[in-house]
Amino acid sequence: MKKVIAIDGPSGAGKSTIAKLLARELGFEYLDTGALYRAVALNLMRLGLDNNSSDKDIASALRKTKVEFKKGQVILNGEDVSREIRSPEAGHYASVFSARKAVREHLLKIQRDASMNSDLVAEGRDMTTVVFPDAFRKFFLDASVGERTRRRTWELISKGFEVSEERVRLDIMERDIRDSKRDLAPLRKASDAHLIDSTGLSIDDVFNMMIDIIRGA
Ligand code: DC
């Protein structure tokens, strides 16, 4: 395993923005594990599976699911799904299917393999606790529900999705509960992760705090 900077946190905490900036600054690859869960969930939805489907059916569908990152795009079985996976619906199903054992086991190896040849900034829900427990630096990035709602609403609108702030707030609260209360790899702060609360902070503030910790300042 090469060097990994692992970042966990709830929806809308700013993980992707910061992880991309850190990766660029450090010359590391960026691993967006939420995109993997979203693309897999999209394919399971398309194959007609839902949360009542058996582990066996999900595992069999996963054998027909190939997700790749190419030039910043997310490719599902050869199709560019970069925009579709960002829809609120895909986010919902990613959260639902990510609680399933077959899905987590399938993606665990893919995520660890990504660290074999490249230094990584990896972000998600279980980077610091399950996937890369021996990461070089670990962070838990958080922010208030109000701030996360505003950021996520703005992000979705700027991507062309029609959403209301109230709908996004409810979705964030529902996902917080589902992602942190599930049995497998729940979202939680690792005891040795640095807690960064980005409420009221600018992207630059958060970036500078994290880069100082990474460089051991
Ligand atoms: O970070 P995101 O919003 O793109 O993630 C979508 C969902 O995927 C999230 O609600 C839970 C799941 N997920 C996960 O369980 N583990 C990860 N490492 C990343 C995402």
Side-chain angles (χ1 to χ4, degrees):
M1 176 174 129
K2 306 270 260 179
K3 215 176 237 186
V4 176
I5 309 296
I7 307 172
D8 287 323
S11 302
K15 300 184 299 293
S16 345
T17 307
I18 291 292
K20 278 184 212 157
L21 291 172
L22 291 173
R24 198 171 62 193
E25 173 75 14
L26 298 165
F28 287 15
E29 292 291 322
Y30 163 54
L31 179 63
D32 176 359
T33 64
L36 289 174
Y37 280 93
R38 284 168 180 263
V40 159
L42 179 64
N43 205 38
L44 295 178
M45 272 161 61
R46 286 177 174 180
L47 292 169
L49 299 174
D50 61 28
N51 202 23
N52 297 316
S53 304
S54 68
D55 271 346
K56 191 164 159 272
D57 286 347
I58 291 181
S60 143
L62 288 170
R63 286 193 281 278
K64 296 175 227 151
T65 307
K66 187 172 180 210
V67 183
E68 301 158 283
F69 292 105
K70 278 190 194 153
K71 295 184 190 149
Q73 289 172 332
V74 184
I75 312 293
L76 169 64
N77 295 339
E79 175 192 345
D80 180 1
V81 292
S82 311
R83 183 174 187 280
E84 201 173 343
I85 59 165
R86 296 298 159 199
S87 71
E89 195 191 13
H92 169 78
Y93 281 101
S95 175
V96 168
F97 281 118
S98 69
R100 301 297 298 264
K101 187 162 175 263
V103 172
R104 299 213 78 83
E105 282 178 355
H106 180 77
L107 289 180
L108 183 61
K109 182 172 162 21
I110 294 175
Q111 295 168 84
R112 288 202 177 135
D113 283 353
S115 72
M116 290 305 164
N117 301 315
S118 315
D119 292 327
L120 286 184
V121 180
E123 53 103 349
R125 303 294 188 286
D126 60 345
M127 299 298 99
T128 60
T129 51
V130 175
V131 182
F132 301 115
D134 300 321
F136 173 66
R137 292 284 187 268
K138 298 184 184 187
F139 294 96
F140 189 92
L141 188 56
D142 206 352
S144 68
V145 171
E147 182 130 351
R148 291 191 284 128
T149 299
R150 281 188 293 280
R151 290 180 192 162
R152 189 40 64 92
T153 307
W154 180 86
E155 183 195 327
L156 286 167
I157 289 174
S158 69
K159 285 186 173 137
F161 295 106
E162 270 181 39
V163 289
S164 71
E165 195 161 317
E166 184 53 15
R167 183 64 247 160
V168 173
R169 193 175 67 84
L170 291 174
D171 181 57
I172 279 190
M173 291 193 321
E174 185 189 309
R175 278 220 265 157
D176 280 359
I177 293 172
R178 196 183 306 104
D179 294 346
S180 56
K181 299 282 181 235
R182 68 186 178 211
D183 293 335
L184 297 170
L187 171 66
R188 65 176 178 82
K189 184 192 156 309
S191 56
D192 54 352
H194 297 269
L195 173 65
I196 311 274
D197 185 340
S198 69
T199 312
L201 298 181
S202 68
I203 293 172
D204 277 356
D205 291 338
V206 177
F207 173 82
N208 289 330
M209 279 165 84
M210 291 174 74
I211 206 80
D212 282 352
I213 292 172
I214 291 167
R215 294 192 166 134

